[in-house]
Amino acid sequence: QVQLVESGGGLVQPGGSVRLSCTASGGRFGIHVMGWYRQAPGKQRELVASISFGGGSRTYADSVKGRFTISRDNDMNTLYLQMNSLKPEDTAVYYCNRISSRYDWGQGTQVTVSS
């Protein structure tokens, strides 16, 4: 069974940066479009960014455009999210998953933006 493992979160000051990573144990991302999602307290999980297998197609939520960058290393079976110019409203648990044919959700990684 595939297990998604997200890492890299933590406490960061407003305006700071953090890089998240996601790997899949027991399987591979394959050719699927991959995405980063987040869920803030009391809110529904939302898609933040997605990336095609080759990386040529990337999409971003309006709230993170120009600040976040999604990337992937298919050889390493790893997905990344570079988060810059962080705002308090970016505080959430961040998850990775396929856009379709999703795996079970992992534990996520907490990102807290606060001074």
Side-chain angles (χ1 to χ4, degrees):
Q1 185 173 350
V2 174
Q3 183 176 5
L4 298 170
V5 180
E6 300 90 352
S7 62
L11 175 63
V12 60
Q13 291 188 340
S17 298
V18 69
R19 189 193 196 200
L20 306 183
S21 299
C22 166
T23 60
S25 62
R28 298 192 63 82
F29 297 152
I31 63 171
H32 288 260
V33 177
M34 294 296 300
W36 281 100
Y37 300 77
R38 68 184 180 188
Q39 186 167 21
K43 294 188 177 181
Q44 288 189 331
R45 189 174 290 160
E46 63 172 345
L47 178 63
V48 172
S50 68
I51 184 169
S52 60
F53 172 72
S57 177
R58 310 183 194 199
T59 65
Y60 297 94
D62 288 343
S63 58
V64 307
K65 277 180 183 176
R67 300 188 298 120
F68 291 9
T69 302
I70 188 171
S71 61
R72 65 193 288 173
D73 184 329
N74 294 320
D75 290 337
M76 296 295 292
N77 202 41
T78 303
L79 183 72
Y80 302 100
L81 186 67
Q82 178 67 42
M83 306 165 64
N84 299 330
S85 301
L86 283 162
K87 304 176 180 179
E89 51 263 44
D90 294 318
T91 295
V93 180
Y94 285 74
Y95 303 87
C96 67
N97 213 325
R98 293 174 167 178
I99 298 299
S100 61
S101 301
R102 290 197 195 113
Y103 293 125
D104 290 339
W105 294 98
Q107 293 296 310
T109 185
Q110 175 73 48
V111 175
T112 301
V113 184
S114 175
S115 56

